Amino acid sequence: MTACVHDPDLFTKKGSILITGTRIGDQIADIFIDETGTIREIGEGIGKKCKGEAEHQISAEKTLAIPGLVNAHTHAAMTLLRGYADDMHLQQWLSEKIWPLEAHLTGEDVYWGTKLACLEMIRSGTVAFNDMYFFMEEAAKAVDESGIRAVLCHGFITFGLSEKFESEVKATEKLVAHIRGMNNPRITPAVGPHAPYTVPPEHLEWCGSYSRDEDIMLHIHLSETEQEVLDCKKAHGITPAALLDRCGCLSERTLAAHGCWLEDADCRLLAEHGSHVAHNPVSNMKLATGRAMPYPALKSAGVNVALATDGCSSNNNLDLLEEMKVAAIGQKFFWKQDTLLPAEEALAMATTCGARALGIPGGSLDVGQVADIVLVSLDHPSMVPLHNPVSNLVYAASGGLVSTVLCNGRVLMHERQIPGEADILAGAAQAASGLLSRAAEK
């Protein structure tokens, strides 16, 4: 794909943009985006009509236009831990490798790790993500600079300790105030109780009330492993999902990650409250959680299911195009249903369903919608022939085919070029090296 005219201001100046000659489904179309970052016209011949109005023009022949992808569950700064500890038992991985190393994290580390994550997501077509981690003010700074969208929460973990609870409350309230003070509509806050096994009922109750009072998302890990479900039943007599309901943590603002061991009654409970689930197939398969997320039961109950990668220490990338394929084939394989989770649903999971779960604009290419747009190159052997564009996207494409990315009408990548990429790679590599050095000194 080539620009009609060399445009040095494409990245630096916001203005109306005309995308010409791309493909939307089975049709060749032009897209006109006004100076507010809104899609104003889509269709054949729009280019001739709007050419004089557009301040910037992108020639998009041999590309497929899709909505910007939405990553519904991440720990973005864990890019710094990519490849640090693989092929281990889950609890051993956490207790012996991940948690000890995370104890040495600094805000600067999280800034560079999140910068790297945003860079990787832009390169593979993701324009929004839902993140839970630490030093999240620094993460917010990185997101602000990157140009993409994010819902951010502090990882709230207390293990029932009153002093820890007080510090987590303060950290959460501080982050919410900080993000609101940024006045950046692309970045919104959430409350993030880590999981029912790390946050006891009385502390979960505070999180549920805070989510309701502040009208913000509640982001939590739920029923990822069989053991946590068994432990919850032993301690409380009910499943983790039922415990969240008892604690006032289930609502239309709730996004629960994983859900591999949800029971049918749990799925119906989530549907009753309008709660959302983030499916993380690659991470769950790699960590051998032992059961695929029960998509058939969730779909039957009417739960909105979004797609996610989880963090880079358990995935090990942030490529949602790859994740779509694994989601689709993994569900077919585990539940022995060859028609389960077809390509159209997998794409929706990564676009419209993700935007709905995060409560953000985007997720579709429609007039009046924000211009969160990804152009995928069709000039590649894996995309030829093009009998079904959606099938090619889900089963044949990868993030490496993404050529141009816009978020809120701003060009973040064009023809695989992202301003400042080399500095981000160098800064993240240095941060990772420093983190390991500090850990080795202890």
Side-chain angles (χ1 to χ4, degrees):
M1 186 182 75
T2 58
C4 290
V5 179
H6 178 63
D7 188 351
D9 296 328
L10 191 60
F11 294 107
T12 58
K13 291 185 179 179
K14 190 169 183 178
S16 56
I17 299 173
L18 177 62
I19 300 174
T20 61
T22 190
R23 187 184 186 110
I24 301 177
D26 294 325
Q27 304 297 318
I28 302 299
D30 304 328
I31 306 172
F32 181 67
I33 303 159
D34 69 18
E35 65 280 357
T36 70
T38 303
I39 299 173
R40 285 303 173 202
E41 296 195 62
I42 301 177
E44 188 177 359
I46 296 300
K48 294 180 180 179
K49 175 183 175 183
C50 301
K51 187 173 183 179
E53 298 180 51
E55 297 174 57
H56 309 286
Q57 186 173 341
I58 295 174
S59 178
E61 289 79 12
K62 295 185 179 179
T63 70
L64 179 68
I66 63 172
L69 305 178
V70 180
N71 194 336
H73 174 67
T74 64
H75 309 290
M78 293 184 88
T79 50
L80 299 187
L81 280 63
R82 189 196 327 262
Y84 170 70
D86 289 321
D87 307 319
M88 299 178 65
H89 296 305
L90 176 58
Q91 289 305 316
Q92 180 188 19
W93 174 75
L94 285 171
S95 61
E96 297 181 13
K97 291 290 187 177
I98 301 303
W99 289 340
L101 188 61
E102 285 181 331
H104 300 282
L105 279 169
T106 66
E108 185 78 358
D109 294 332
V110 170
Y111 168 77
W112 282 111
T114 306
K115 288 277 281 188
L116 179 61
C118 290
L119 176 66
E120 183 176 353
M121 284 189 274
I122 292 168
R123 278 211 160 275
S124 51
T126 292
V127 300
F129 66 105
N130 179 39
D131 202 51
M132 174 194 292
Y133 211 51
F134 315 109
F135 300 102
M136 294 304 283
E137 288 87 352
E138 294 300 312
K141 178 184 176 184
V143 174
D144 184 38
E145 294 171 355
S146 76
I148 66 176
R149 305 181 190 278
V151 178
L152 305 177
C153 67
H154 168 74
F156 191 109
I157 301 174
T158 70
F159 293 112
L161 303 174
S162 58
E163 290 185 2
K164 182 65 171 171
F165 172 67
E166 292 175 5
S167 67
E168 298 294 71
V169 167
K170 289 179 181 178
T172 296
E173 293 176 335
K174 180 184 176 185
L175 176 64
V176 171
H178 176 81
I179 290 176
R180 286 176 170 165
M182 294 175 71
N183 293 315
N184 184 338
R186 290 186 289 102
I187 307 174
T188 54
V191 57
H194 173 262
Y197 61 88
T198 55
V199 183
E202 60 271 24
H203 297 166
L204 286 171
E205 289 173 3
W206 181 88
C207 293
S209 296
Y210 190 70
S211 170
R212 181 176 60 253
D213 294 345
E214 297 295 328
D215 192 24
I216 57 177
M217 264 185 55
L218 187 149
H219 180 191
I220 190 167
H221 298 83
L222 179 64
S223 298
E224 183 176 5
T225 67
E226 182 180 26
Q227 191 61 50
E228 68 188 82
V229 175
L230 295 174
D231 290 345
C232 187
K233 287 182 175 180
K234 182 177 180 180
H236 305 287
I238 51 177
T239 65
L243 181 64
L244 291 187
D245 183 34
R246 179 185 291 178
C247 296
C249 288
L250 293 185
S251 76
E252 68 283 356
R253 296 177 303 278
T254 303
L255 179 52
H258 302 295
C260 299
W261 289 87
L262 290 169
E263 299 179 1
D264 287 352
D266 297 329
C267 297
R268 293 191 294 270
L269 186 61
L270 291 167
E272 289 171 10
H273 287 281
S275 301
H276 315 269
V277 172
H279 184 28
N280 301 257
V282 171
S283 175
N284 292 149
M285 292 170 74
K286 185 180 176 215
L287 294 176
T289 54
R291 184 175 188 255
M293 180 201 73
Y295 182 68
L298 288 165
K299 180 181 178 181
S300 177
V303 176
N304 179 52
V305 180
L307 190 64
T309 60
D310 208 350
C312 275
S313 61
S314 65
N315 186 301
N316 297 45
N317 66 39
L318 301 170
D319 187 345
L320 270 184
L321 284 171
E322 175 183 277
E323 205 79 28
M324 284 192 288
K325 178 175 182 176
V326 177
I329 64 177
Q331 287 291 319
K332 290 171 171 59
F333 175 79
F334 187 86
W335 299 106
K336 301 179 178 64
Q337 296 182 37
D338 48 14
T339 61
L340 186 63
L341 191 52
E344 292 81 3
E345 290 180 23
L347 179 59
M349 198 181 275
T351 54
T352 54
C353 298
R356 177 183 167 194
L358 270 59
I360 60 174
S364 65
L365 297 182
D366 295 302
V367 172
Q369 183 63 274
V370 294
D372 289 0
I373 301 172
V374 169
L375 301 180
V376 179
S377 175
L378 298 175
D379 193 19
H380 189 273
S382 67
M383 299 300 280
V384 178
L386 197 66
H387 298 305
N388 184 325
V390 175
S391 287
N392 274 25
L393 272 173
V394 173
Y395 295 122
S398 68
L401 295 185
V402 174
S403 59
T404 294
V405 174
L406 291 83
C407 181
N408 205 37
R410 176 186 167 191
V411 178
L412 304 183
M413 179 171 75
H414 180 52
E415 295 180 354
R416 301 290 296 166
Q417 299 299 309
I418 301 176
E421 178 173 7
D423 292 339
I424 295 172
L425 295 176
Q430 184 176 356
S433 177
L435 175 61
L436 288 178
S437 295
R438 291 193 302 276
E441 293 172 359
K442 300 296 181 178

